[in-house]
Amino acid sequence: MIKALAESGLFHLGGVLIDTHAFTVLGNLLGVRWARHAVKTQDIDIAGGLHLDIAVPDLHADIPKTLDALKMGFLPIPALNPKSPSTSFKVRGSALRVDFVTPLKHRRNVAPVFIRRFNIAAQPLPYLGYVIERCERGALVDGQGVLVNVPAPARFAFHKLIVSRTRDVSTRTKSDKDLLQAAQIFEVLAEDRPGDLALAWNALESHGKAWTAKAVAGLSALLRRHPAVQQPLLHVLPILCSYLQRRG
């Protein structure tokens, strides 16, 4: 399915693979094999900004047509508001699902927005702009390589800290997976690419105290569950120590 999306031009037009499938690609980029239970999912999440920051020819990717052409039985999932367009598709009788999301621009305007170049509506989400602002090209390998866009590894990890604190109690398992994925990336980057961590943290700090507070809350939870990450991460990014001390 991701191969079909790539061939439609989705990633050429700024689409970004996020969440667990992106985590898999990041492992390929970083040259590591993640723990198997950290990469299991039937959900595919695609993010895209409302507009592209660079000029491209007048191309578009017709996502509903691409999904229909797969003949897998993808059906749109009705939105809670019947007046809103669907932002998700699911295969009937299967756990396979694809969700389309976009950065939230205005806190009170959470209604789906139409992304013309994808011919699809996307659900606005907070904090998403940070993680898709800096992306890298990577290959999703499964018999053959599919070239996709994924978030920069350090931003992906810090974003996971924030997201882990925004989930409700019914999605505790997803929160635990968020922290596990962040821990594994932090461990690799602390050793191989410490500068990436500093740049990503500086960018997160620029969004203000509410963002950093959520990230530090996530970091505190991460260190309780994965204490082996504490020494290498705080060694290369000592500013986090002061934030943790303030949190108590």
Side-chain angles (χ1 to χ4, degrees):
M1 201 200 84
I2 294 175
K3 181 176 183 291
L5 291 173
E7 290 174 347
S8 77
L10 173 69
F11 299 111
H12 180 68
L13 293 169
V16 183
L17 190 63
I18 59 173
D19 215 11
T20 295
H21 285 285
F23 179 68
T24 301
V25 176
L26 292 177
N28 296 334
L29 279 172
L30 297 171
V32 296
R33 185 184 295 273
W34 305 126
R36 188 172 181 180
H37 58 286
V39 296
K40 282 188 174 183
T41 185
Q42 288 289 315
D43 296 337
I44 297 172
D45 299 279
I46 305 291
L50 188 57
H51 304 288
L52 276 177
D53 293 332
I54 59 173
V56 296
D58 187 20
L59 302 175
H60 71 281
D62 193 331
I63 301 305
K65 183 178 179 180
T66 298
L67 294 177
D68 187 58
L70 288 169
K71 305 297 184 184
M72 296 173 65
F74 275 103
L75 296 172
I77 300 174
L80 293 177
N81 183 345
K83 294 182 179 179
S84 296
S86 174
T87 62
S88 303
F89 293 79
K90 191 176 186 300
V91 175
R92 180 178 294 168
S94 167
L96 183 57
R97 169 178 173 144
V98 58
D99 299 304
F100 295 90
V101 295
T102 192
L104 180 69
K105 297 296 185 183
H106 305 288
R107 229 185 317 180
R108 296 182 181 178
N109 188 7
V110 296
V113 297
F114 189 76
I115 302 180
R116 186 177 67 86
R117 68 186 186 280
F118 298 158
N119 193 31
I120 199 79
Q123 178 61 50
L125 293 181
Y127 311 110
L128 187 64
Y130 166 79
V131 75
I132 68 171
E133 186 179 34
R134 293 285 183 271
C135 293
E136 299 185 15
R137 297 283 271 173
L140 185 63
V141 181
D142 184 15
Q144 58 183 308
V146 178
L147 198 60
V148 298
N149 298 325
V150 291
R155 289 194 182 221
F156 182 94
F158 282 121
H159 180 253
K160 283 293 182 182
L161 296 183
I162 294 174
V163 170
S164 73
R165 299 303 92 188
T166 62
R167 298 191 190 276
D168 58 41
V169 292
S170 66
T171 56
R172 171 67 182 272
T173 300
K174 288 188 175 182
S175 295
D176 290 343
K177 183 185 279 190
D178 291 331
L179 297 176
L180 173 60
Q181 292 179 356
Q184 291 184 83
I185 290 178
F186 283 141
E187 190 171 10
V188 174
L189 294 183
E191 181 175 350
D192 297 336
R193 296 164 59 170
D196 289 10
L197 292 171
L199 291 172
W201 178 256
N202 289 342
L204 192 152
E205 273 189 318
S206 71
H207 286 279
K209 293 181 179 179
W211 283 55
T212 54
K214 272 203 165 45
V216 172
L219 176 62
S220 180
L222 179 148
L223 295 181
R224 288 195 300 272
R225 289 171 174 78
H226 308 283
V229 181
Q230 180 168 336
Q231 194 279 331
L233 178 60
L234 299 187
H235 175 73
V236 301
L237 206 56
I239 190 173
L240 295 179
C241 294
S242 59
Y243 277 105
L244 290 168
Q245 288 168 357
R246 285 179 227 164
R247 178 178 167 77

